[in-house]
Amino acid sequence: MNIEDCVGCALCQPVCPTFQETRLEGASARGKIAFLAAYSRGELSETDPHWGETMTLCTSCWACEEACPAGLSIKDLFLEWRENHPPTQWERHLRMLLRLATITPLGVRTLLPLFFLPLRGLKSRWKAPLPVTSIHPPKSFFFPGCFSRYAVPDAATSSYKRVLSLDSFKDVAVVPSGLCCGSALINNGLLKELPATATPFLEWLEKRNPLAVITADNTCGQTLRTLHHSLPSHLEKRWKRFAPRFQILQEIDPHFPPKEGFQSACHNEHRCDKPEATCCGFGGSFRWQHPSLSRRIGKRRLRHLGFHEGGDIRVEGPGCLAHLRRLVPPSQRARIRPWTD
Ligand code: SF4
Ligand code: SF4
């Protein structure tokens, strides 16, 4: 499948949050693919500022790929472009910060919490509970993910409690802070840096040899399960051994998904099957690159979810939870809750 296979049907537009809010053709997958096609024919320069800006109008929700009847691998196309195009100044700064904050465990522990301060507000950071007291070393671990740990600590606590409530997981310790799944690197054109985040994680896995690592952060879970595809061969085989041991809480919890007022995460198999954009507009670095558009998409989503009619909203993704809470007055934030609450 390649970009010439786009049939121009526009079925990617109703599900695209950036298109729905801006009505700009270039914000949709169809528009971006037209840009890519023009570039491949030599009709556009990759340094064209309009072209660069247009390609960033994307929350990486990948709803377009699900909707595309032509079966285009839109995610692969866009990620390849992010990896290979000359970065804009904003992207250069972002990549420098991401490198500092994610590729060493020390950076993850010290700098990531600072990044997330505007989302967390003055709430204190999540303190992982003391290690389990079993006489045996724990065989299962809970991985909260950086967003839960540093931006929405209440989500980390309620997800951990939910894991402990499952019959098959009683003796569950927490993965130490400093380990990162690397999804921010993948989404921001830094695939080559992945070995730096994967290596300390791999060393920890090899030392503890867990039977299961459970996370409620879908993005982290999906990334960790498939990370070997993006690693160089000397790490690929080592990671592949552990890939099936990553479990996503939503797949094993009988109470998922909540029935009403539910904001699902984009990167899962439980997306609401509706012909409309369901992304909350967070999109990781998208929120920082396009703050006004990100907020507009989020507010639109809250309206669709019935927030203004008085219902509570349960949110699956911790980044989405932090983002949506910042869109409502402080007195209303408690109504936007982790789905595990
Ligand atoms: S990934 Fe999401 S935001 Fe990006 S073009 Fe596709 S539908 Fe639109
Ligand atoms: S849904 Fe697929 S084939 Fe149709 S316009 Fe969008 S990218 Fe092209």
Side-chain angles (χ1 to χ4, degrees):
M1 271 300 149
N2 60 45
I3 44 182
E4 308 298 344
D5 292 316
C6 172
V7 295
C9 64
L11 287 177
C12 50
Q13 292 186 342
V15 298
C16 175
T18 52
F19 176 80
Q20 285 303 313
E21 192 55 39
T22 64
R23 297 282 154 179
L24 293 170
E25 172 71 14
S28 71
R30 184 173 77 168
K32 293 182 177 74
I33 286 166
F35 272 117
L36 288 171
Y39 169 63
S40 71
R41 294 192 299 266
E43 294 166 11
L44 271 174
S45 157
E46 61 186 359
T47 51
D48 178 306
H50 177 61
W51 147 265
E53 178 70 9
T54 299
M55 290 302 285
T56 67
L57 292 174
C58 178
T59 65
S60 307
C61 69
W62 314 126
C64 47
E65 183 167 303
E66 282 181 36
C68 178
L72 280 163
S73 301
I74 296 173
K75 179 179 176 183
D76 290 346
L77 282 170
F78 290 3
L79 290 185
E80 189 186 329
W81 179 83
R82 290 178 201 174
E83 174 82 0
N84 294 316
H85 82 287
T88 62
Q89 194 177 32
W90 192 92
E91 285 166 332
R92 270 199 297 278
H93 290 151
L94 173 73
R95 288 177 188 186
M96 187 183 70
L97 288 173
L98 279 175
R99 281 192 186 96
L100 284 172
T102 62
I103 66 172
T104 65
L106 182 66
V108 174
R109 275 190 220 105
T110 56
L111 293 177
L112 265 193
L114 293 180
F115 276 2
F116 291 140
L117 206 54
L119 289 173
R120 191 176 74 239
L122 295 174
K123 273 194 221 126
S124 59
R125 280 158 61 174
W126 188 57
K127 287 191 182 54
L130 292 171
V132 287
T133 51
S134 158
I135 52 169
H136 304 293
K139 281 290 168 198
S140 299
F141 288 83
F142 169 65
F143 180 63
C146 299
F147 266 103
S148 278
R149 200 187 274 272
Y150 301 125
V152 277
D154 58 318
T157 301
S158 76
S159 303
Y160 185 43
K161 282 186 183 162
R162 186 62 78 91
V163 171
L164 293 173
S165 76
L166 298 176
D167 286 342
S168 39
F169 296 107
K170 292 291 172 220
D171 216 9
V172 183
V174 176
V175 173
S177 64
L179 300 180
C180 168
C181 71
S183 62
L185 298 176
I186 295 172
N187 270 340
N188 289 288
L190 288 169
L191 267 179
K192 290 186 188 72
E193 310 284 358
L194 271 181
T197 53
T199 302
F201 211 135
L202 198 45
E203 286 167 355
W204 177 83
L205 288 167
E206 287 172 340
K207 186 170 161 209
R208 304 308 297 260
N209 195 22
L211 288 178
V213 179
I214 309 132
T215 183
D217 188 322
N218 229 301
T219 305
C220 299
Q222 303 285 4
T223 304
L224 291 164
R225 278 177 176 173
T226 53
L227 198 63
H228 47 283
H229 298 306
S230 309
L231 291 174
S233 52
H234 69 285
L235 293 174
E236 182 190 355
K237 203 169 160 199
R238 286 167 65 196
W239 190 276
K240 210 170 171 181
R241 181 179 151 219
F242 295 101
R245 305 190 198 180
F246 291 105
Q247 298 205 24
I248 295 173
L249 180 59
Q250 291 85 314
E251 294 173 358
I252 50 178
D253 187 314
H255 301 295
F256 181 84
K259 297 281 174 283
E260 283 162 4
F262 175 52
Q263 173 60 32
S264 69
C266 289
H267 310 138
N268 66 14
E269 288 156 16
H270 307 279
R271 186 200 297 275
C272 307
D273 190 19
K274 289 181 188 157
E276 66 184 42
T278 56
C279 171
C280 73
F282 173 60
S285 55
F286 176 82
R287 181 187 183 273
W288 280 274
Q289 190 166 14
H290 298 285
S292 160
L293 179 56
S294 171
R295 278 197 298 273
R296 278 161 44 205
I297 296 171
K299 287 183 176 174
R300 179 192 182 91
R301 189 66 193 134
L302 284 175
R303 280 195 301 277
H304 282 183
L305 287 168
F307 183 76
H308 303 290
E309 279 82 64
D312 282 9
I313 308 291
R314 304 293 186 105
V315 186
E316 184 181 359
C320 313
L321 178 65
H323 169 60
L324 290 175
R325 277 181 175 163
R326 303 307 284 181
L327 301 178
V328 302
S331 60
Q332 301 286 308
R333 286 182 188 157
R335 291 178 47 213
I336 302 181
R337 301 151 58 186
W339 72 270
T340 42
D341 224 2

